[in-house]
Amino acid sequence: MNVEISAAAKALREAREFRKPINKISEDYGVVTLNDAYAVADINTRNRLSQGGRISGKKVGLTSASVQQQLGVAQPDFGVLFQDMEYLDGEAVPTDTLLQPKIEAEVAFVVGKDLQSETPSYAEFLACLAYALPALEIVDSAIADWKISLADTVADNASCGLYVLGNQPVAIGDLDLHEIGMQLDLNGSVASVGTGAACLGHPLRAAYWLACTMAARGEGLKAGEVILSGALGPMVNIQSGDIIQARMGALGSVSCRLV
């Protein structure tokens, strides 16, 4: 194993364990390529699994055209979700494991059946989905001041933190996810607005990118997994004590309270 990749993975683990952000690993450890960045993330995924963690799904990041332009990339990235990251609508969400949290509203999809095709068609992908839910993703970076490159966020598990799922699943065919509107309120005031079109043009297209990417890695999608498809509007800084609610038209609403 590359010594720098192993050292970068350890630095990221310790940053989260001790809640102390670190300098860019792309600078300190020379992790600059996507392959190396995903290798760092894979080490820490295996570490969590070895300690009893259980994968609950995947997240798609960098789905905003403006963020892609900022980082000089032309495609999203992905991270791994674990069961202990999950909270439900209205629950109190602890912040004691987070470093620099921000929140965004997203469309979540739940996989209804395994998709293992090496090159899934869009129809095969749609057939594997069970339903959609409104979701909040609390993103968090171990890199100081969120001064990240593409390699930094990929290595840091796509800046995963926690996520909150709405209560009521909705059939995908009953939704126009391209046109769906989103309003996120922070402590009763509007903090972010957006639409489904902001998420790689359509939330289902973002999720399809993930399905193809995972299939190419030989991993596929598994029944029961959650897919967080990407932000519908700008991220919002948050802290303990905040109350967040997002409304997404026919998809419903989702909320949480940070403690």
Side-chain angles (χ1 to χ4, degrees):
M1 181 186 300
N2 183 293
V3 174
E4 287 78 14
I5 288 175
S6 179
K10 182 180 179 182
L12 288 168
R13 286 199 306 275
E14 291 181 345
R16 292 194 174 277
E17 180 181 356
F18 298 110
R19 296 183 68 193
K20 291 184 178 180
I22 58 175
N23 189 40
K24 294 181 178 182
I25 62 160
S26 56
E27 293 180 351
D28 287 2
Y29 299 94
V31 176
V32 294
T33 69
L34 267 181
N35 284 342
D36 284 353
Y38 278 120
V40 171
D42 288 343
I43 290 172
N44 286 338
T45 292
R46 292 195 298 271
N47 181 266
R48 288 198 67 168
L49 291 172
S50 71
Q51 295 180 348
R54 185 166 66 85
I55 292 175
S56 59
K58 307 290 189 304
K59 66 156 284 186
V60 186
L62 304 180
T63 55
S64 162
S66 61
V67 174
Q68 287 187 3
Q69 185 176 13
Q70 177 186 353
L71 293 179
V73 299
Q75 66 177 25
D77 67 350
F78 74 88
V80 178
L81 303 175
F82 288 87
Q83 192 275 332
D84 61 1
M85 295 178 176
E86 182 179 286
Y87 291 85
L88 301 182
D89 182 39
E91 287 190 333
V93 177
T95 58
D96 59 357
T97 62
L98 303 174
L99 291 81
Q100 308 172 95
K102 301 174 184 284
I103 200 163
E104 52 195 32
E106 309 191 5
V107 178
F109 300 104
V110 177
V111 180
K113 63 180 182 180
D114 292 356
L115 181 64
Q116 299 294 344
S117 173
E118 186 173 324
T119 53
S121 69
Y122 190 57
E124 289 172 326
F125 160 70
L126 291 176
C128 89
L129 297 180
Y131 43 79
L133 290 165
L136 297 167
E137 184 187 358
I138 299 173
V139 292
D140 191 31
S141 180
I143 306 301
D145 301 319
W146 277 90
K147 293 181 178 178
I148 55 174
S149 69
L150 175 62
D152 291 307
T153 186
V154 167
D156 192 22
N157 195 27
S159 305
C160 282
L162 306 169
Y163 65 97
V164 183
L165 295 179
N167 288 322
Q168 182 61 49
V170 180
I172 295 169
D174 294 341
L175 298 166
D176 183 351
L177 292 174
H178 176 269
E179 299 293 337
I180 199 165
M182 180 280 295
Q183 176 179 309
L184 187 149
D185 293 342
L186 175 67
N187 300 323
S189 298
V190 178
S192 179
V193 295
T195 68
C199 179
L200 212 66
H202 195 296
L204 279 169
R205 293 295 294 271
Y208 180 49
W209 173 88
L210 176 71
C212 293
T213 299
M214 300 313 297
R217 290 169 58 95
E219 299 180 34
L221 300 177
K222 297 179 181 179
E225 286 190 332
V226 174
I227 299 172
L228 297 181
S229 61
L232 303 187
M235 296 186 297
V236 176
N237 292 325
I238 52 173
Q239 61 186 355
S240 180
D242 286 341
I243 297 173
I244 299 100
Q245 182 177 42
R247 299 176 179 85
M248 299 181 217
L251 192 56
S253 65
V254 59
S255 66
C256 69
R257 175 172 54 89
L258 303 181
V259 296

